[in-house]
Amino acid sequence: MTSSPRPTLALPWWVRGDTNAAFGLGFNVLVNVLVLTGLAAGVVNIPQHDVFHVILPALGIELLIGNVYYTYLARRLARREGRTNVAAMPYGPSVPHMFIVTFVIMLPTYLSTKDPIRAWQAGLAWAFIIGLIVLLGAFVGPYVRRWTPRAALLGTLAGVSIAFISMRPAGQMWEAGWIALPVLTIILIGFFTNLKLPGNIPVGLAALLVGSAIGWIGGFMSVPDVAAAAHDVAIGLPSFRLDLLVSGLGHIGPLLSTAIPLGIYNFTEGMTNVESASAAGDSYNLRSVLLADGIGAIVGSALGSPFPPAVYIGHPGWKEAGGRTTYSMASGIAIALLCFLGMFGLLGALLPTPAIVPILLYIGLLIGAQAFQAVPRAHAAAVVIAIIPNVASWAQGQMANVLSAVGYTTVNNAPGATLVPPSGTTPGSVPESALVNAGVIYHGLALLGGGAILAGLILGAIVAFLIDRDFVQAAIYCLAGSLLSFVGLIHGEKVGWNVGGQIALGYLLAVPSSAASSRCVRCHPGSPARMSARARSRPCSLSARRTDRHDRAGVRAGHRGAVPVAVRRGAAAVGHRRAVY
């Protein structure tokens, strides 16, 4: 007897929800490109001709190729699993890296050399190194993801989303709340309630039109600014700028101290974004995603863009909005055309910023909520502690920006340090004692937030494993935290030998406590939700606990009334993360 052939899946290229998601993601990327345009031209003083004719076209080709590739991955996943509700991964310029490459790499180079081209070259070299590290992460990341609890992965992603994606847009919104709050209301109604707007107008488009109308009628916008921006519209096509990249690589030494940890940050963020998509039902191959991000950064740097692209936070939001396999490609094509046509100066003059940024706050709300909804309730504390380093990093960055704005670029923690006011071109120095007396924990926040996304992952994993009484795994992550702290990849302000010795010692001293606790589980087994009967009846060896992970996960899921993950995903659970989640 021969089996009948499997029917071919009728996978549409476009559904109505793609329109909603394409407009939403398009405005998200639009905001980011407008910001990076201002950073390149206004902060680093790169000539506007180079910004509009080299950097933006390079970014446009990155977005075009990357979003087409992610559409291919989505359609391949949909056909493999026989589903039509697969949503593509969103893709665009990495938001944290936009500010990092500007204020940590290009601006200091510009201030020391007074040469914006030299600063631009440094940014290109930095982006190139970032790409290489992400490529390496494509082969390491799947193993890290396999053995890291979902609470740690989604918690640190929520921290990035709340601190770096939501806070700045929220502040910009409340500066013109009379424009932004009606826009946010339309977005929340359209995306959270699934109510259809009159005439099936896309939610993102309706929100932008309403906000723009309020801004122009209320006098928030300026007609002369539009006229001036219209003169800058010009076509620019991408071309290789290897001369700039090679010149930048000739001075790569000082950049490695930031490129290495931030490259690790980048691949860790990509890993957590893939986990976020998996929690929303779409399990993408992590290696395929990270390879695309790494190649995108390398190609972009060769074309002249110092702003590395990355898979975006927000897949669950665009899927919730109705996006499927093609919305990301549509937004990528639209933004690429705007980059090639040099339209971003004009768009910045036409569209009120408070009408655009609420879409970023929506993404922050959704990712923050998902971190708690997609993990066991017992792991809520692990999610919170994974968020904290990212909030610390954001807060310390805000304080550093305030000090820098008034000429103070150094916080001196030496005993007896005094205030050194800025003089001419020499920046000033603030004693840390003065900040402490004002109630500011500057140095502590800098250490807590160093390597924030990786630090959040480590802390979240430790807490999740402790909650599960998997003390040996908790000890392993404590040891990893000790090693990473020692070289400054987490909880450090630079990378080097014995950078965070006292913090490394703290993690190291936690190792025997965690390991020793594993011997107590047999004597104090706790509730049935924590251990299986078979685990309580025998010695607590590491191999025994590994054998029992599936049993413990099944008992916990039944105790909470949850559906086991193997049933939800239609796949067998693998390792700690698969068993618990």
Side-chain angles (χ1 to χ4, degrees), residues 488-531:
L489 287 174
I490 64 173
H491 307 310
E493 300 178 76
K494 61 181 181 179
V495 175
W497 192 253
N498 194 19
V499 170
Q502 58 93 8
I503 299 174
L505 179 62
Y507 276 111
L508 191 62
L509 292 176
V511 171
S513 300
S514 298
S517 297
S518 66
R519 311 304 304 174
C520 302
V521 175
R522 184 183 177 193
C523 301
H524 303 282
S527 70
R530 287 287 175 247
M531 294 190 68

Side-chain angles (χ1 to χ4, degrees), residues 105-487:
I105 303 299
M106 293 196 291
L107 181 58
T109 304
Y110 171 69
L111 292 176
S112 63
T113 65
K114 305 303 180 184
D115 184 355
I117 304 302
R118 177 74 177 273
W120 181 15
Q121 293 169 350
L124 296 179
W126 181 86
F128 181 84
I129 298 300
I130 290 288
L132 292 179
I133 295 172
V134 174
L135 286 180
L136 178 62
F139 299 94
V140 177
Y143 299 100
V144 176
R145 182 181 174 221
R146 180 180 179 183
W147 294 104
T148 302
R150 173 169 283 179
L153 291 166
L154 297 187
T156 196
L157 182 65
V160 174
S161 183
I162 292 169
F164 294 101
I165 306 298
S166 301
M167 292 301 292
R168 179 183 173 89
Q172 292 173 310
M173 287 169 58
W174 260 258
E175 287 180 339
W178 55 284
I179 300 174
L181 290 178
V183 173
L184 179 63
T185 302
I186 293 172
I187 289 172
L188 296 181
I189 291 173
F191 289 153
F192 280 150
T193 69
N194 290 323
L195 292 177
K196 299 294 186 293
L197 298 181
N200 285 327
I201 300 175
V203 173
L205 178 60
L208 183 66
L209 291 176
V210 168
S212 298
I214 294 173
W216 277 100
I217 293 171
F220 188 81
M221 306 302 289
S222 167
V223 174
D225 289 345
V226 175
H231 291 293
D232 295 328
V233 174
I235 295 177
L237 297 178
S239 60
F240 283 104
R241 299 303 302 268
L242 296 176
D243 55 329
L244 295 174
L245 175 59
V246 171
S247 297
L249 290 173
H251 304 86
I252 192 61
L255 305 179
L256 292 177
S257 62
T258 58
I260 292 174
L262 291 170
I264 294 173
Y265 168 99
N266 217 26
F267 97 74
T268 309
E269 184 182 24
M271 182 172 62
T272 55
N273 285 332
V274 171
E275 185 64 25
S276 177
S278 177
D282 297 338
S283 297
Y284 284 97
N285 181 277
L286 175 59
R287 186 165 295 159
S288 298
V289 170
L290 292 179
L291 285 173
D293 283 4
I295 292 172
I298 291 172
V299 172
S301 64
L303 292 170
S305 172
F307 303 104
V311 64
Y312 262 17
I313 290 175
H315 167 278
W318 306 127
K319 184 170 185 176
E320 184 74 17
R324 294 299 178 253
T325 62
T326 322
Y327 78 96
S328 181
M329 183 173 69
S331 66
I333 292 173
I335 298 297
L337 288 174
L338 294 175
C339 288
F340 299 152
L341 297 175
M343 296 289 291
F344 276 94
L346 181 60
L347 289 173
L350 282 172
L351 304 177
T353 298
I356 305 174
V357 294
I359 196 72
L360 300 179
L361 182 57
Y362 157 72
I363 292 299
L365 294 174
L366 200 76
I367 298 301
Q370 185 201 41
F372 292 95
Q373 295 167 348
V375 305
R377 284 192 302 172
H379 285 182
V383 172
V384 173
I385 200 169
I387 291 173
I388 288 174
N390 294 281
V391 176
S393 177
W394 177 83
Q396 186 270 337
Q398 293 293 301
M399 290 186 281
N401 290 342
V402 170
L403 293 173
S404 178
V406 293
Y408 294 90
T409 60
T410 304
V411 175
N412 191 344
N413 58 3
T418 59
L419 181 69
V420 179
S423 175
T425 59
T426 303
S429 174
V430 178
E432 187 185 4
S433 58
L435 300 179
V436 172
N437 292 337
V440 177
I441 314 299
Y442 184 90
H443 186 59
L445 289 177
L447 294 177
L448 174 59
I453 192 168
L454 191 55
L457 187 147
I458 294 291
L459 290 170
I462 291 170
V463 172
F465 282 125
L466 290 177
I467 290 171
D468 286 345
R469 297 192 175 190
D470 197 338
F471 297 112
V472 171
Q473 290 282 26
I476 291 172
Y477 269 84
C478 287
L479 182 59
S482 178
L483 294 173
L484 293 171
S485 299
F486 189 78
V487 297

